[in-house]
Coordinates of all heavy atoms in Angstrom, one line a residue:
T1 N 50.4 11.2 -12.9 CA 49.0 11.0 -13.3 C 48.3 12.4 -13.5 O 47.6 12.7 -14.5 CB 48.2 10.2 -12.3 OG1 48.8 8.9 -12.2 CG2 46.7 10.1 -12.7
T2 N 48.5 13.2 -12.5 CA 47.9 14.5 -12.5 C 48.3 15.4 -13.7 O 47.5 15.9 -14.4 CB 48.2 15.3 -11.2 OG1 47.6 14.6 -10.1 CG2 47.5 16.7 -11.2
R3 N 49.6 15.5 -13.9 CA 50.1 16.4 -14.9 C 50.0 15.8 -16.3 O 49.7 16.5 -17.2 CB 51.5 16.7 -14.6 CG 51.6 17.5 -13.2 CD 53.0 18.1 -12.9 NE 53.3 19.2 -13.7 CZ 52.9 20.5 -13.5 NH1 52.1 20.7 -12.3 NH2 53.3 21.5 -14.2
R4 N 50.2 14.5 -16.5 CA 50.0 14.0 -17.8 C 48.5 13.9 -18.3 O 48.2 14.2 -19.4 CB 50.6 12.6 -17.9 CG 50.0 11.4 -17.3 CD 48.7 10.9 -17.8 NE 48.5 9.5 -17.4 CZ 47.3 8.9 -17.4 NH1 46.2 9.7 -17.6 NH2 47.2 7.7 -17.1
T5 N 47.6 13.9 -17.3 CA 46.2 13.9 -17.6 C 45.8 15.3 -18.1 O 45.1 15.5 -19.1 CB 45.3 13.6 -16.4 OG1 45.6 12.2 -16.0 CG2 43.8 13.7 -16.7
A6 N 46.2 16.3 -17.4 CA 46.0 17.7 -17.8 C 46.7 18.1 -19.1 O 46.1 18.7 -20.0 CB 46.4 18.7 -16.8
A7 N 47.9 17.5 -19.3 CA 48.7 17.7 -20.5 C 48.0 17.1 -21.7 O 48.0 17.7 -22.8 CB 50.1 17.2 -20.3
A8 N 47.5 15.9 -21.5 CA 46.7 15.3 -22.6 C 45.4 16.1 -23.0 O 45.2 16.2 -24.2 CB 46.3 13.8 -22.2
S9 N 44.8 16.6 -22.1 CA 43.6 17.5 -22.4 C 44.1 18.7 -23.2 O 43.4 19.1 -24.1 CB 43.0 17.9 -21.1 OG 42.3 16.9 -20.5
A10 N 45.2 19.3 -22.7 CA 45.7 20.4 -23.4 C 46.2 20.1 -24.8 O 46.0 20.9 -25.8 CB 46.9 21.0 -22.6
L11 N 46.8 18.9 -25.0 CA 47.3 18.4 -26.3 C 46.0 18.3 -27.2 O 46.0 18.8 -28.4 CB 48.0 17.1 -26.2 CG 48.4 16.5 -27.5 CD1 49.3 17.3 -28.3 CD2 49.1 15.2 -27.2
A12 N 44.9 17.8 -26.7 CA 43.6 17.7 -27.4 C 43.1 19.1 -27.8 O 42.7 19.3 -28.9 CB 42.6 16.8 -26.8
A13 N 43.2 19.9 -26.8 CA 42.7 21.3 -27.1 C 43.4 22.0 -28.1 O 42.9 22.9 -28.8 CB 42.6 22.1 -25.7
S14 N 44.7 21.7 -28.3 CA 45.6 22.4 -29.3 C 45.1 22.1 -30.6 O 45.3 22.8 -31.6 CB 47.0 22.0 -29.1 OG 47.3 20.6 -29.5
H15 N 44.3 20.9 -30.7 CA 43.7 20.6 -32.1 C 42.2 21.0 -32.1 O 41.7 21.1 -33.3 CB 43.9 19.0 -32.4 CG 45.3 18.6 -32.5 ND1 45.9 18.6 -33.7 CD2 46.2 18.1 -31.6 CE1 47.2 18.2 -33.5 NE2 47.3 17.9 -32.2
L16 N 41.5 21.0 -31.0 CA 40.1 21.0 -31.0 C 39.5 22.3 -30.5 O 38.3 22.6 -30.9 CB 39.6 19.8 -30.2 CG 40.0 18.4 -30.6 CD1 39.5 17.4 -29.8 CD2 39.7 18.2 -32.1
A17 N 40.1 23.1 -29.7 CA 39.6 24.3 -29.1 C 39.8 25.4 -30.1 O 40.8 25.4 -30.9 CB 40.2 24.6 -27.8
R18 N 38.9 26.4 -30.1 CA 39.2 27.6 -31.0 C 40.5 28.2 -30.6 O 41.0 28.3 -29.5 CB 38.0 28.6 -30.8 CG 36.7 28.2 -31.3 CD 35.7 29.4 -31.5 NE 35.9 30.4 -30.6 CZ 35.3 30.5 -29.3 NH1 34.5 29.5 -29.0 NH2 35.5 31.5 -28.5
A19 N 41.1 28.8 -31.6 CA 42.5 29.4 -31.4 C 42.4 30.6 -30.5 O 43.4 30.9 -29.7 CB 43.0 29.9 -32.8
D20 N 41.2 31.2 -30.4 CA 41.1 32.4 -29.5 C 40.4 32.1 -28.2 O 40.0 33.0 -27.4 CB 40.3 33.5 -30.3 CG 38.8 33.1 -30.6 OD1 38.6 31.8 -30.4 OD2 38.0 33.9 -30.8
A21 N 40.2 30.8 -27.8 CA 39.6 30.4 -26.6 C 40.4 31.0 -25.4 O 41.5 30.8 -25.1 CB 39.6 28.8 -26.5
S22 N 39.7 31.7 -24.6 CA 40.3 32.4 -23.5 C 39.5 32.2 -22.2 O 40.0 32.5 -21.1 CB 40.4 33.9 -23.7 OG 39.0 34.5 -23.9
R23 N 38.3 31.7 -22.3 CA 37.5 31.4 -21.0 C 37.3 30.0 -20.7 O 36.8 29.2 -21.6 CB 36.1 32.1 -21.2 CG 36.1 33.7 -21.2 CD 34.7 34.2 -21.5 NE 34.3 33.9 -22.9 CZ 33.2 34.4 -23.5 NH1 32.5 35.3 -22.8 NH2 32.9 34.1 -24.7
L24 N 37.8 29.6 -19.7 CA 37.8 28.1 -19.2 C 36.9 27.9 -18.0 O 37.0 28.7 -17.1 CB 39.3 27.8 -18.8 CG 39.5 26.3 -18.3 CD1 39.1 25.2 -19.2 CD2 40.9 26.2 -17.7
L25 N 36.1 27.0 -18.1 CA 35.3 26.5 -17.0 C 35.9 25.1 -16.5 O 36.0 24.3 -17.3 CB 33.8 26.3 -17.4 CG 33.0 25.5 -16.3 CD1 32.9 26.3 -15.0 CD2 31.6 25.3 -16.9
I26 N 36.2 25.1 -15.3 CA 36.8 23.9 -14.6 C 35.6 23.3 -13.8 O 35.2 24.0 -12.8 CB 38.0 24.1 -13.8 CG1 39.1 24.7 -14.7 CG2 38.4 22.9 -13.1 CD1 40.4 25.1 -13.9
V27 N 35.3 22.1 -14.0 CA 34.3 21.4 -13.2 C 35.0 20.4 -12.3 O 35.5 19.4 -12.8 CB 33.2 20.7 -14.1 CG1 32.2 20.0 -13.3 CG2 32.6 21.8 -15.0
G28 N 35.0 20.6 -11.0 CA 35.9 19.9 -10.1 C 36.8 20.7 -9.4 O 37.2 21.8 -9.9
A29 N 37.4 20.2 -8.4 CA 38.4 21.0 -7.6 C 39.5 20.1 -7.0 O 40.2 20.4 -6.1 CB 37.7 21.8 -6.5
G30 N 39.7 18.9 -7.6 CA 40.7 18.0 -7.2 C 42.1 18.3 -7.8 O 42.3 19.4 -8.3
R31 N 42.9 17.3 -7.8 CA 44.3 17.4 -8.3 C 44.4 17.8 -9.7 O 45.1 18.8 -10.1 CB 45.1 16.1 -8.1 CG 45.5 15.8 -6.6 CD 46.2 14.5 -6.6 NE 46.7 14.1 -5.2 CZ 46.9 12.9 -4.8 NH1 46.6 11.9 -5.6 NH2 47.3 12.8 -3.5
V32 N 43.7 17.1 -10.6 CA 43.7 17.5 -12.0 C 43.1 18.9 -12.3 O 43.6 19.6 -13.0 CB 43.0 16.3 -12.8 CG1 43.0 16.7 -14.3 CG2 43.8 15.0 -12.7
A33 N 42.0 19.1 -11.6 CA 41.3 20.3 -11.9 C 42.2 21.5 -11.4 O 42.2 22.6 -12.1 CB 40.1 20.4 -11.0
A34 N 43.0 21.3 -10.4 CA 43.9 22.3 -9.9 C 45.0 22.8 -10.9 O 45.5 23.9 -10.8 CB 44.5 21.9 -8.6
V35 N 45.4 21.8 -11.8 CA 46.4 22.2 -12.8 C 45.9 22.4 -14.1 O 46.7 22.7 -15.1 CB 47.6 21.1 -12.8 CG1 48.2 21.1 -11.4 CG2 47.0 19.8 -13.3
M36 N 44.6 22.3 -14.4 CA 44.0 22.3 -15.8 C 44.2 23.7 -16.4 O 44.5 23.8 -17.6 CB 42.6 21.9 -15.7 CG 42.0 21.7 -17.1 SD 42.8 20.4 -18.1 CE 42.2 18.9 -17.3
A37 N 44.1 24.8 -15.6 CA 44.2 26.1 -16.2 C 45.6 26.3 -16.7 O 45.8 26.9 -17.7 CB 43.8 27.1 -15.2
E38 N 46.5 25.9 -15.9 CA 48.0 26.0 -16.2 C 48.3 25.2 -17.5 O 49.0 25.7 -18.4 CB 48.9 25.6 -15.1 CG 50.4 25.7 -15.4 CD 51.3 25.1 -14.3 OE1 50.7 24.5 -13.3 OE2 52.5 25.0 -14.5
A39 N 47.8 24.1 -17.6 CA 48.0 23.2 -18.8 C 47.3 23.9 -20.0 O 48.0 24.0 -21.1 CB 47.4 21.8 -18.5

């Protein structure tokens, strides 16, 4: 659950975030939040 959730967000970001996006804000500090930067 944790890793596929973050991976789905990253998959969406590969289509929707700017190509040069370098600054990430994570709101939350649980399991998914903990791996979101890596994803």
